Amino acid sequence: MTSTNQRVTGRHVQPIERTDEETDPETESERERDECPECGASGVTDEKRGETVCQECGVVLEEDVVDRGPEWRSFDARDKAEKSRVGSPTTEMLHDKGLSSVIDWQNKDAHGQTLSAKKREQMSRLRTWDERFRSQSAQDRNLKQALGEIDRMASALGIPKDARETASVIYRRALDEELIPGRSIEAMATGSLYAGARQAGVPRTLDELATVSRVDRKEFARAYRYIARELELAMEPTDPEQYVPRLVSDLDLPEETKQRAVELLEAGKREAVHSGKNPVGLAAAAIYAAGRLTNVEVTQHEVADAADVSAVTIRDRYTELLDADDQVA
C-alpha cells in the first residue's frame, strides 16, 4: 500500500495563485458587517444608541458599539473647557500658534490654596523667564507685539474671531515677505486688521479703526494699501449690506426694518446707485429710509451718529435709494 506522498510523486503540481477576487476572511467579514444582509445597503452608526443600522430598511447590523468619545457631558463652553484633558487648539493669533506652555497668573497650588510669599516671588521670576524663552528671536518679539495689537483693537471693535485669524495670517505673510522692517508695527497691524475684517465679511471703516489704533489714520491707511499691493490681496469693493446688521443692532431696530433696508440696497445696486458712493453712507441711508417705510421712529442724526457719517449724506442718499426702489418695483 503506497502512501499519499508516493501517489503524487511524478505529477506536475500547479502553484495556486490568488486572484484579485479572493480577499482575506477578516476583510470579507468586515464587509459583511457593514452591508445589510436583507437589502445589501450600507449601515449607518448611531453613536447615541451604540448601534449600526441599515439606512434603507432599518435592520440593526451591530449593537453595543464602543463609544470612543469623552465619558463626560458639558452644557456650555466653560464647562467643556474645565472638563477637557487636552490643550487648546492651535491658533494664528499667538506668535507660537499656542504650542508652548503658559504659567498661570493665579498664585494658587493644585488644591486651590494661595501660595506663600516666597513661592509667589519664585513664580513671578519663572513667568518672566518663561516669557523671555517663548520669544527669543526679534521676529518672534515683532510678531508677539503685532498680534497683541490686533487682538486689542479687534476686541475694542467687536470683530469676531475668524476675522482676527485672517488678520493674523495677513500680518504673518507680510513679515515673511519682509515688508515690516522700516515701518511702524502698529500701523502694519492696523492695516492687516482692516484687510482681514474686509475679507471676512465684517468690514470696519477707517474712522472706526482710528479710534482704537495707536497711529494716525493716514499712516495705517498707507500701510494697508502697501500690504494689499505687495501681497496681491483680492480686495473687492465693500458691499453696503455688510454694514446693515451692525448698524441695526446699534440702533436697536426691528428685523422688519433690517430686511427692508437690505431690499432697498439691492434695488439700488440694480440701478447702479452704489457706484462711487461711500458704502457706510448708503447703508445708513437705507436704514433711515427703511425706518420711515416700516413706521419706526429713528432720526437722521441717530443713524448718522451710529454710522459716523453726516446727516447731509443720509439726506442725499436715501432719496436716491427710494427712487431706485420705485423704478425696480
Side-chain angles (χ1 to χ4, degrees):
M1 186 173 180
T2 60
S3 63
T4 306
N5 293 334
Q6 290 176 341
R7 277 189 275 121
V8 298
T9 303
R11 297 181 182 178
H12 180 66
V13 181
Q14 295 288 341
I16 300 175
E17 298 181 357
R18 296 184 62 181
T19 62
D20 296 338
E21 297 178 356
E22 297 180 0
T23 57
D24 295 334
E26 296 181 0
T27 307
E28 200 168 311
S29 62
E30 290 178 0
R31 189 172 65 233
E32 290 177 357
R33 193 187 312 132
D34 293 338
E35 291 182 358
C36 177
E38 299 293 334
C39 61
S42 59
V44 177
T45 302
D46 187 354
E47 297 180 356
K48 192 172 288 187
R49 295 184 175 85
E51 299 175 344
T52 302
V53 185
C54 175
Q55 61 181 357
E56 296 293 336
C57 60
V59 173
V60 178
L61 308 180
E62 187 179 6
E63 60 182 353
D64 298 331
V65 179
V66 176
D67 184 9
R68 303 188 184 278
E71 76 282 3
W72 44 265
R73 294 190 302 169
S74 60
F75 301 96
D76 54 25
R78 182 178 180 181
D79 192 22
K80 182 177 180 181
E82 290 178 351
K83 292 182 178 180
S84 178
R85 293 185 287 271
V86 297
S88 58
T90 58
T91 174
E92 298 288 343
M93 297 168 58
L94 298 176
H95 72 282
D96 55 4
K97 298 186 179 181
L99 297 176
S100 62
S101 60
V102 180
I103 300 177
D104 193 7
W105 60 271
Q106 295 180 349
N107 293 317
K108 295 182 179 180
D109 59 11
H111 301 286
Q113 302 296 327
T114 304
L115 299 178
S116 62
K118 184 177 180 180
K119 286 290 185 182
R120 288 199 300 270
E121 184 180 355
Q122 182 181 3
M123 294 303 297
S124 178
R125 291 198 302 269
L126 287 175
R127 290 191 192 96
T128 302
W129 281 105
D130 182 59
E131 286 293 324
R132 291 175 181 175
F133 280 116
R134 287 177 63 195
S135 54
Q136 297 184 16
S137 64
Q139 185 174 4
D140 286 342
R141 290 192 294 270
N142 183 313
L143 196 58
K144 184 178 179 181
Q145 180 182 351
L147 297 182
E149 280 292 301
I150 290 175
D151 189 57
R152 180 189 65 82
M153 292 184 292
S155 298
L157 294 175
I159 297 177
K161 185 178 178 180
D162 58 339
R164 304 184 196 189
E165 293 273 356
T166 305
S168 302
V169 171
I170 291 174
Y171 189 89
R172 287 177 183 273
R173 287 185 57 194
L175 189 62
D176 293 339
E177 296 291 336
E178 298 182 354
L179 305 180
I180 309 299
R183 292 173 176 83
S184 170
I185 295 177
E186 289 81 3
M188 298 294 283
T190 310
S192 300
L193 180 61
Y194 178 73
R198 286 188 59 177
Q199 286 194 341
V202 285
R204 296 295 187 269
T205 63
L206 294 176
D207 293 331
E208 289 178 299
L209 285 169
T211 60
V212 297
S213 180
R214 301 183 191 272
V215 294
D216 295 333
R217 182 181 187 273
K218 185 183 295 184
E219 187 175 354
F220 69 73
R222 188 186 302 115
Y224 159 71
R225 290 192 296 268
Y226 178 69
I227 291 173
R229 182 178 68 252
E230 294 297 326
L231 298 182
E232 298 181 355
L233 300 179
M235 305 299 296
E236 298 181 355
T238 306
D239 192 347
E241 294 182 18
Q242 295 176 340
Y243 293 99
V244 171
R246 180 169 59 87
L247 295 177
V248 168
S249 177
D250 293 342
L251 294 169
D252 195 20
L253 299 178
E255 182 68 21
E256 181 185 4
T257 304
K258 174 185 172 183
Q259 295 296 331
R260 194 69 182 93
V262 172
E263 293 175 0
L264 289 173
L265 288 174
E266 290 177 351
K269 285 189 287 187
R270 293 194 194 99
E271 297 296 323
V273 174
H274 68 296
S275 180
K277 304 294 193 309
N278 182 8
V280 185
L282 276 176
I287 291 173
Y288 174 71
R292 295 189 59 180
L293 294 175
T294 56
N295 297 323
V296 175
E297 294 184 2
V298 57
T299 64
Q300 294 180 2
H301 290 286
E302 290 175 347
V303 181
D305 291 340
D308 198 14
V309 296
S310 65
V312 178
T313 302
I314 296 178
R315 283 196 293 271
D316 293 340
R317 299 289 175 264
Y318 95 91
T319 53
E320 296 176 358
L321 291 173
L322 292 176
D323 293 339
D325 186 61
D326 291 338
Q327 292 180 6
V328 171

